[in-house]
């Protein structure tokens, strides 16, 4: 006989799988301060107009030493004097009050009709009062989730979340949310995109007071984006000196120096059209040069259960998580002036939901701004986790640094070396178990790695000269990005062999790939 035991309560889902309060499938509104930050430009313009019209009076009041002759007399063109002299004080007050009421009403309506919801299948956002908009991002097509914290918004503990879709202009933005809510929602979206189901809604998070929120925002402005609990540290640390030096030794700097020399020459020879044409370009490239440094400060990259987490930015901090299987091509590159220092950069092709003309696309395509060989290997192991261990020497030793003795890469034949006079021994490919490796360039070294499961197609082409020399060109097609899948001047038979072998390998890789639902059922 056994003693009866009371039924044990059901086991709650693991903490990582508990649904946050804002991911319960119901419609929720953005943070109440959202209209202020989304419509902040309007307020800045209005304030600028007011200050411009009152500048003389404001200078006389606050900086009297700059207007010594003003002792209360009227200022020509001053709107305050006009209102007082025409006894329109009441009318002006009512107009200002009406403008304030209209702005507050518009901001309220914008916030009232701006809502979102997260279901088990989609992220949806509705906005607009007169012209309504309803955007939806299927979770099984999510390419990444970016969390951006602009400088001013960070002071108030706010952030905006961008769910990266699989098409052009397919991104869904949630702006603005408290940083804690944005982190929680991002975790929910990535867990649902992985194929994992969430538990029931958990307890609502404790609301911080306004003073605590501002204090936390100021702390975050200094210390950077906060990391989730137990978040691993960055596998790469880039010294500021290396970052500045790498930018100084880049092609952008060479262009700036040449442009400045042109400006000086134009000033000496009094050629006005040179100054008119070059100065705006120099200012633009100078701003780009500085921005390239500041946006790479506080860079970090680390593995998480939901993918690779990349954080960068000095004032405006951007944290993106790239889920497994969302990287379509990788390129390791080394400019000539970086070679004495052993520095490399890593770029990727991924679906960003943005057009190629979008300036932010460049930043989203760079996963390592500058690093040494050890940094390159650490980052590559994060973003290419499926590469077979036996294939790793083909990336750095034989690929980026090659060719070496007994080179395993298939390269340009000797008879066509005039078409690649400097790089014909280096120009080549190697088909691995999980990826296609394309090695190019001797002055500007590059190695492109195209995962076979992500390759869209393979192309072989010939021109008239190619046919005469019995060579061909190959191109591995991936999503559009900064990484090129092209390789030219290969032996025709080698190119055709790669076409057949690559096709079979890609079909096999796609059949076994499960990275798009990395935590779901097989």
């Amino acid at each position: 006989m056994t003693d009866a035991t009371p039924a044990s309560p059901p086991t709650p889902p693991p903490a990582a799988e508990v649904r946050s309060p804002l991911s319960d499938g119901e419609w929720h509104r953005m943070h109440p301060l959202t209209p202020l930050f989304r419509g902040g430009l309007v307020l800045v313009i209005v304030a600028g107009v007011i200050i411009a019209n009152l500048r003389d009076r404001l200078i006389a009041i606050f900086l009297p030493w700059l207007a010594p002759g003003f002792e209360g007399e009227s200022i020509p063109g001053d709107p305050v004097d006009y209102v007082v002299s025409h006894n329109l004080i009441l009318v002006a007050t009512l107009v200002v009050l009406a403008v304030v009421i209209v702005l507050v009403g518009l901001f309220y309506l914008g916030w009232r009709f701006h809502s979102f919801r997260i279901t088990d299948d989609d992220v949806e956002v509705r906005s607009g009062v007169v012209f309504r908009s309803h955007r939806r991002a299927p979770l099984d097509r999510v390419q990444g989730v970016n969390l951006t914290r602009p400088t001013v918004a960070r002071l108030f503990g706010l952030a905006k979340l961008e769910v990266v879709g699989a098409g052009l202009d397919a991104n869904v933005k949630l702006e603005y949310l408290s940083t804690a809510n944005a982190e929680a929602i991002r975790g929910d979206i990535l867990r649902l995109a992985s194929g994992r189901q969430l538990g029931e809604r958990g307890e609502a998070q404790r609301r911080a007071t306004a003073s605590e929120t501002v204090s936390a925002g100021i702390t975050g402005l200094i210390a950077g984006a906060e990391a989730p609990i137990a978040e691993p540290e960055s596998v790469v640390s880039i010294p500021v000196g290396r970052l500045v030096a790498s930018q100084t030794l880049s092609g952008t700097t060479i262009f700036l120096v040449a442009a400045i020399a042109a400006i000086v020459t134009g000033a000496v020879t009094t050629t006005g059209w040179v100054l008119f044409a070059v100065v705006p370009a120099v200012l633009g490239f100078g701003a780009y040069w500085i921005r390239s440094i500041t946006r790479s400060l506080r860079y970090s990259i680390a593995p998480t259960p939901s993918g690779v987490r990349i954080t960068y930015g000095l004032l405006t901090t951007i944290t993106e998580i790239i889920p497994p299987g969302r990287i379509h091509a990788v390129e390791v590159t080394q400019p000539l002036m970086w070679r004495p220092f052993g520095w490399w950069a890593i770029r990727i092709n991924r679906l960003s939901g943005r057009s190629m003309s979008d300036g932010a696309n460049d930043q989203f395509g760079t996963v390592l701004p500058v690093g040494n060989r050890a940094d390159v290997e650490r980052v590559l192991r994060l973003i290419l986790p499926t590469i077979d261990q036996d294939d790793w020497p083909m990336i750095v030793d034989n690929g980026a640094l090659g060719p070496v003795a007994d080179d395993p890469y298939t390269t340009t034949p000797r008879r066509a070396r005039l078409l690649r006079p400097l790089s014909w021994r280096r120009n080549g490919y190697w088909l691995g178990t999980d990826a296609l490796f394309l090695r190019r360039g001797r002055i500007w070294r590059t190695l492109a790695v195209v995962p076979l499961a992500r390759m869209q197609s393979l192309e072989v082409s010939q021109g008239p000269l190619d046919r005469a020399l019995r060579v061909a060109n190959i191109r591995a097609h991936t999503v559009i990005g900064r990484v090129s899948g092209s390789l030219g001047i290969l032996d025709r038979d080698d190119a055709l062999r790669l076409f057949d072998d690559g096709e079979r390998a890609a079909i096999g890789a796609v059949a076994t790939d499960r990275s798009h639902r990395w935590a779901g059922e097989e």
Side-chain angles (χ1 to χ4, degrees):
M1 181 175 179
T2 58
D3 296 332
T5 57
S8 58
T11 304
E17 297 184 1
V18 171
R19 187 185 300 271
S20 66
L22 297 179
S23 303
D24 55 3
E26 302 295 332
W27 289 100
H28 299 276
R29 294 190 179 91
M30 305 295 177
H31 193 280
L33 292 179
T34 294
L36 179 63
F37 289 98
R38 297 191 70 193
L41 181 61
V42 176
L43 297 180
V44 171
I45 293 175
V46 172
V49 171
I50 294 175
I51 293 175
N53 283 278
L54 299 179
R55 62 182 183 277
D56 294 332
R57 181 173 296 276
L58 293 174
I59 291 174
I61 295 175
F62 297 102
L63 303 172
W65 58 88
L66 297 180
F70 177 77
E71 296 181 356
E73 68 272 13
S74 22
I75 302 175
D78 185 26
V80 175
D81 286 335
Y82 180 85
V83 169
V84 173
S85 62
H86 290 76
N87 197 24
L88 298 175
I89 298 177
L90 179 60
V91 175
T93 302
L94 293 176
V95 170
V96 172
L97 182 60
V99 170
V100 171
I101 293 175
V102 169
L103 287 176
V104 172
L106 291 176
F107 282 178
Y108 172 77
L109 287 176
W111 172 79
R112 179 70 174 76
F113 287 89
H114 192 188
S115 58
F116 71 95
R117 73 174 176 182
I118 300 172
T119 66
D120 290 339
D121 302 308
D122 305 284
V123 178
E124 300 176 66
V125 175
R126 298 187 305 193
S127 61
V129 179
V130 179
F131 299 98
R132 300 285 289 162
S133 171
H134 189 158
R135 299 181 68 91
R136 176 180 297 157
L139 291 174
D140 60 351
R141 295 292 183 266
V142 169
Q143 303 298 309
V145 184
N146 305 327
L147 190 150
T148 304
R149 302 178 65 204
T151 305
V152 179
R154 291 172 64 185
L155 297 175
F156 295 86
L158 300 184
K160 53 183 177 181
L161 207 63
E162 184 175 13
V163 182
V164 180
L168 183 62
D169 194 27
N171 295 1
V172 173
K173 298 180 181 180
L174 279 64
E175 51 182 352
Y176 286 82
L177 302 166
S178 69
T179 303
N181 286 338
E183 286 281 10
I185 291 174
R186 175 164 65 176
D188 287 347
I189 292 173
L190 289 170
R191 284 192 290 271
L192 287 168
S194 72
R196 184 185 308 152
Q197 296 299 314
L198 299 182
E200 297 299 325
R201 172 175 173 171
E203 295 184 3
Q205 299 176 353
R206 183 179 65 86
R207 301 293 180 183
T209 62
S211 60
E212 290 173 336
T213 302
V214 175
S215 176
I218 295 175
T219 303
L221 184 62
I222 299 173
E226 68 277 48
I229 298 175
E231 179 74 19
E233 295 185 359
S234 175
V235 300
V236 172
S237 177
I238 303 178
V240 177
R242 182 196 298 173
L243 191 62
V244 175
S246 66
Q247 189 63 27
T248 303
L249 297 175
S250 66
T252 304
T253 304
I254 297 176
F255 177 87
L256 282 175
V257 172
I260 292 173
I263 289 177
V264 173
T265 303
V268 172
T269 60
T270 64
T271 305
W273 67 268
V274 173
L275 298 178
F276 180 79
V278 175
V279 169
V282 171
L283 295 177
F285 270 87
Y288 174 81
W289 192 89
I290 296 174
R291 188 168 63 251
S292 298
I293 296 176
T294 57
R295 69 185 181 186
S296 297
L297 294 174
R298 295 195 305 190
Y299 162 88
S300 69
I301 181 170
T304 72
S306 299
V308 180
R309 177 185 174 106
I310 305 175
T311 301
Y312 49 86
L314 178 62
L315 300 177
T316 296
T317 301
I318 299 177
T319 302
E320 60 173 334
I321 293 183
I322 307 176
R326 269 59 176 184
I327 295 177
H328 294 252
V330 179
E331 183 179 75
V332 183
T333 180
Q334 184 185 59
L336 178 62
M337 290 185 291
W338 287 13
R339 194 172 301 177
F341 305 96
W343 295 340
W344 302 80
I346 299 179
R347 299 180 297 199
I348 63 173
N349 283 359
R350 55 170 294 202
L351 290 170
S352 65
R354 302 169 182 265
S355 65
M356 290 300 297
S357 60
D358 194 331
N361 225 11
D362 179 70
Q363 184 67 39
F364 287 124
T366 302
V367 295
L368 180 64
V370 58
N372 54 33
R373 172 173 174 167
D375 298 334
V376 168
E377 292 185 359
R378 294 190 193 102
V379 173
L380 288 177
R381 290 185 181 275
L382 285 183
I383 63 179
L384 295 172
T386 61
I387 296 296
D388 189 270
Q389 184 63 32
D390 295 336
D391 292 348
W392 277 104
M394 299 300 170
I395 298 182
V396 179
D397 297 328
N398 297 296
L401 297 174
V404 297
D406 299 325
D407 185 22
Y409 277 68
T410 301
T411 59
T412 298
R414 179 179 292 273
R415 65 177 181 274
R417 63 184 181 273
L418 291 178
L419 300 180
R420 292 288 188 274
L422 298 178
S423 62
W424 68 277
R425 292 182 181 274
R426 178 176 166 80
N427 190 71
Y429 75 88
W430 190 80
L431 181 61
T433 306
D434 303 292
L436 173 62
F437 302 85
L438 305 174
R439 190 179 66 190
R440 300 183 296 264
R442 180 169 293 276
I443 296 177
W444 192 295
R445 293 175 174 176
T446 61
L447 174 72
V449 183
V450 181
L452 295 176
R454 305 274 82 80
M455 188 168 65
Q456 305 297 311
S457 64
L458 197 60
E459 173 188 340
V460 177
S461 62
Q462 275 187 316
L465 185 58
D466 299 330
R467 287 194 293 271
L469 295 174
R470 290 182 291 113
V471 296
N473 311 299
I474 62 171
R475 180 180 181 86
H477 292 121
T478 69
V479 300
I480 298 176
R482 299 181 63 190
V483 181
S484 171
S486 298
L487 186 67
I489 318 304
L490 295 172
D491 184 86
R492 181 189 60 187
D493 295 336
D494 291 335
L496 292 175
R497 186 181 306 111
L498 174 61
F499 184 83
D500 294 333
D501 296 343
E503 179 188 17
R504 287 192 295 269
I507 292 174
V510 171
T512 59
D513 179 59
R514 294 293 182 272
S515 59
H516 58 293
R517 301 290 275 179
W518 65 93
E521 296 295 333
E522 295 291 336

